[in-house]
Amino acid sequence: MMPLIDLVAGARPNFMKLAPVVHGLAAAGEVHFRIVHTGQHYDPLMTDVFFEELRIPPPDVHLDVGSGSHGAQTARIIERYEAHVMERRPSHTVVFGDVNSTVACALAAVKLGVPVAHVEAGLRSFDRSMPEEINRVLTDAVADLLLVSEPSGVANLQREGVDESKIRLVGNVMIDTLLAQLPAARERRTAARLGLDGRRYGFVTLHRPSNVDHPETLATLLHLLHELGRKMPLVFAIHPRTVHAATRMNLGSLVAAGQGELLCLGPQRYVDSLSLLAGAAVVLTDSGGLQEESSVLDVPCLTLRENTERPVTVTLGTSRLVGSDPSRIRAAFDDVLEGKWPHGQSIPLWDGKAGGRVAAELASWMRRPLSHA
Ligand code: UD1
């Protein structure tokens, strides 16, 4: 059988990781691949725009799974990806990150004897209340090739007893996308177009269940953002999940468009998000991706979580864990305003070349005899 890789993506943070691997494989020209979109995210601003902006070819296969509870969504992805594999069997499957699509397609593939590679393997928050942590642990347990973005990932996998021969430290593919898009992002001057020309501002995102699913926590955070916005304007790019949660909890007025010094916007295109981030004086976020991106751009990052699976963003990068406690967040915000924030240092292998390293590892993996077949 002619080797053919399925590259599987489904949710917004997957696409920035998929793009450099697609470009790396296309440049090497050694491996045939197909893009499979699960449809976990489906609003155009959560998916289509990324394909256009990042020059990813349109998906070869669309599973159209949509939203649902964790069980329902994961089950639907497993069922539909399994049917696809049975009909048009790939020789290998590559999954990205830690979303439900990642674990679902990994499980469907390995059970049919298709070996799986995991890009962004080994990250651990050690917090099993996070759905992503479950997805990470399970995906790594069944993957055959573990492509790791930062040294903690290698240590975690070693501690879990994973065979060394499966582990490769390749760096962070998402930073390839960032570096490639940065000039265009700066040219877009998104903050200026929002009326913030020449002003210091902060950039905010919030979507983790731990922050947005509990009415008290969400209300506290939204009131705090309004308060902090009065010290320095904040641009809040709001995830649909957060809008739905706020509306359900009668907090919709706090995230309605406009809002003076807390500028509430919908999800942003990648270049606009990057433009806002690159020009920001501070980021407040619970996103893993933004912790990494702000570290590379040397923008102080208040991480609204108690833990992180990306510890290098704290040790070498610009991230500080502040949880959801207003007094900690306020104190960190004031540190930024007073210029008391350490600069980020460069992070090994976050150099814009990770996609090429992943492509090379995939090519050599495909030449190895199949361990699962
Ligand atoms: C998912 C990932 C999370 C990632 C985030 C980035 C899992 C478990 N979580 O969370 O790790 O950080 O993506 O965005 O996979 N919705 C829309 N339109 C869409 C997609 C979602 O309105 O295109 C709304 C729906 O109400 C949906 C909710 O957002 O029920 C949650 O979507 P889901 O894909 O389940 O998880 P995310 O919160 O987006």
Side-chain angles (χ1 to χ4, degrees), residues 7-26:
L7 302 173
V8 177
R12 180 169 64 176
N14 288 162
F15 308 129
M16 296 75 126
K17 297 165 195 167
L18 172 78
V21 175
V22 165
H23 300 145
L25 287 173

Side-chain angles (χ1 to χ4, degrees), residues 194 196 199 226 229-230 233-235 256-264:
L194 292 171
L196 291 167
R199 294 184 70 184
H226 280 270
R230 289 191 283 277
L234 298 176
V235 180
Q259 304 275 336
E261 298 297 38
L262 179 67
L263 203 61
C264 294

Side-chain angles (χ1 to χ4, degrees), residues 11-13 40-43 46 67 70 73 98-100 131-132 135 207-208 239-241 244:
R12 180 169 64 176
Q40 175 174 345
H41 284 175
Y42 44 84
D43 285 347
M46 300 291 284
S67 297
H70 280 275
Q73 185 181 61
D98 56 14
V99 300
N100 287 345
E132 293 81 3
N135 295 343
H207 74 285
R208 296 259 164 235
H239 191 289
R241 180 194 181 92
H244 296 159

Side-chain angles (χ1 to χ4, degrees), residues 47-192:
T47 157
D48 302 355
V49 293
F50 296 93
F51 278 75
E52 290 157 25
E53 291 181 300
L54 307 181
R55 292 180 298 106
I56 309 170
D60 300 280
V61 178
H62 211 302
L63 304 179
D64 283 318
V65 298
S67 297
S69 66
H70 280 275
Q73 185 181 61
T74 308
R76 214 177 302 139
I77 303 170
I78 294 179
E79 198 175 1
R80 295 195 187 172
Y81 186 60
E82 179 184 63
H84 156 79
V85 171
M86 290 198 292
E87 213 175 291
R88 303 169 64 194
R89 188 181 174 88
S91 60
H92 300 71
T93 292
V94 179
V95 297
F96 297 83
D98 56 14
V99 300
N100 287 345
S101 301
T102 310
V103 65
C105 293
L107 284 177
V110 288
K111 288 207 168 184
L112 290 170
V114 174
V116 168
H118 182 201
V119 175
E120 204 184 82
L123 298 184
R124 298 288 181 268
S125 65
F126 305 102
D127 174 359
R128 296 253 172 139
S129 71
M130 281 181 84
E132 293 81 3
E133 181 73 353
I134 308 291
N135 295 343
R136 290 188 277 262
V137 167
L138 293 180
T139 304
D140 288 342
V142 297
D144 184 59
L145 178 65
L146 296 148
L147 299 164
V148 182
S149 57
E150 64 161 84
S152 72
V154 174
N156 293 332
L157 293 170
Q158 286 169 334
R159 196 176 331 100
E160 290 171 15
V162 175
D163 196 303
E164 291 281 347
S165 65
K166 295 183 175 179
I167 306 172
R168 300 283 188 284
L169 183 63
V170 289
N172 191 334
V173 283
M174 213 180 53
I175 303 307
D176 293 22
T177 300
L178 181 153
L179 296 175
Q181 298 288 329
L182 193 54
R186 289 200 196 280
E187 252 172 53
R188 267 179 91 82
R189 304 180 67 247
T190 307

